[in-house]
Amino acid sequence: MKKDTLTTREEIMMMLKTNGSMTVSEISKGLGITEMAVRRHLNTLERDELIKASIVRQAMGRPTNLYSLTDKAENHFPKAYKNLADDILAGIFEEEGKEKIDKIFERREKKLREAYAKKMHGLTDLEEKVNALVNIQNERGYIVELEKVDNGFLLKEYNCPIFEISRQYNQACDGEKKLFENILNTEVKNLSCMGRGDTYCVYHIKNKK
């Protein structure tokens, strides 16, 4: 395997790691290569069970594929990627400050919100949406447990795929809370957080008033 080809595939995995899920067009624009070239790399990654595709129906036009990492990819993600992400964020912080870091995580939350909304399209009942959220988070490697309580739900995450980053940049944790509130359209309270030193993350999702 040629080094430049391997690097492109690693870049695709890194993009999916940080954005959650993306279309061929989005990956093509992000890498600056043709969609045909992107599809070749995606075919190889899908063959190796490192990514998966889900069909998203659009209001107009043909359905499109949304690509995301598999559990296998999350579990075997090379440590070098974490170091690279840490180095990139540290460099941005040193050069451009906290405001730029905030914008990066705000953009990430927006991208995830759009991807999650597509997967939860048509759901209106809060419990249905929460169960869909649990499935999405489990697919992304968070190891989620859901408990129904009198005034809502307790969502527990026993694993964090971006744990090392969240320890240094709590914007990642704040962004997840904001993501949950936006896609569920209800109040969410963060009761514990791995990024802030707790054993696992717990969110209290409150019933709509």
Side-chain angles (χ1 to χ4, degrees):
M1 184 180 294
K2 293 182 180 180
K3 185 176 180 181
D4 59 343
T5 302
L6 177 62
T7 300
T8 301
R9 290 173 192 160
E10 289 175 349
E11 284 188 72
I12 291 173
M13 291 182 68
M14 187 64 176
M15 291 173 72
L16 295 177
K17 178 79 167 173
T18 56
N19 289 286
S21 54
M22 302 178 74
T23 64
V24 170
S25 176
E26 289 171 338
I27 296 171
S28 173
K29 291 176 182 177
L31 292 177
I33 61 176
T34 66
E35 292 190 8
M36 184 178 294
V38 169
R39 291 182 193 280
R40 285 200 299 268
H41 293 300
L42 291 175
N43 287 339
T44 300
L45 290 169
E46 197 166 14
R47 182 200 65 196
D48 294 339
E49 299 180 346
L50 296 174
I51 65 169
K52 59 187 175 183
S54 57
I55 298 176
V56 178
R57 302 190 181 282
Q58 305 178 94
M60 297 181 64
R62 299 174 60 184
T64 185
N65 282 332
L66 201 61
Y67 292 90
S68 59
L69 295 175
T70 63
D71 287 344
K72 180 178 178 180
E74 294 286 1
N75 294 334
H76 296 87
F77 213 65
K79 192 172 185 295
Y81 284 118
K82 180 188 74 65
N83 294 338
L84 175 61
D86 289 347
D87 290 344
I88 291 173
L89 289 172
I92 293 172
F93 183 79
E94 291 175 6
E95 294 291 330
E96 303 185 53
K98 179 179 177 296
E99 185 176 340
K100 184 66 175 181
I101 296 293
D102 290 342
K103 288 182 179 179
I104 289 173
F105 282 101
E106 285 171 6
R107 180 181 180 278
R108 179 177 185 270
E109 186 275 328
K110 182 176 182 294
K111 292 287 293 183
L112 289 175
R113 190 195 327 154
E114 292 171 351
Y116 282 37
K118 289 177 181 178
K119 291 188 175 184
M120 297 167 67
H121 178 70
L123 300 180
T124 56
D125 179 72
L126 178 61
E127 186 167 0
E128 288 182 342
K129 293 169 77 172
V130 170
N131 284 322
L133 173 61
V134 169
N135 290 335
I136 294 171
Q137 291 298 87
N138 276 327
E139 287 174 0
R140 301 186 66 233
Y142 282 86
I143 310 179
V144 180
E145 179 180 282
L146 183 67
E147 178 184 351
K148 193 171 183 179
V149 293
D150 290 340
N151 56 344
F153 305 87
L154 288 181
L155 187 150
K156 300 179 182 179
E157 295 177 336
Y158 293 96
N159 183 55
C160 177
I162 58 169
F163 173 63
E164 292 298 333
I165 291 175
S166 68
R167 284 204 305 175
Q168 298 181 62
Y169 303 97
N170 288 152
Q171 293 95 328
C173 307
D174 297 336
E176 184 170 70
K177 175 181 176 293
K178 183 179 178 182
L179 169 67
F180 291 173
E181 287 183 325
N182 282 328
I183 60 174
L184 298 174
N185 192 30
T186 192
E187 183 181 354
V188 176
K189 186 175 182 180
N190 185 210
L191 302 181
S192 67
C193 175
M194 294 174 66
R196 293 184 170 93
D198 295 312
T199 305
Y200 45 80
C201 298
V202 179
Y203 293 95
H204 180 202
I205 301 169
K206 296 187 178 182
N207 286 325
K208 295 180 181 179
K209 295 181 179 179

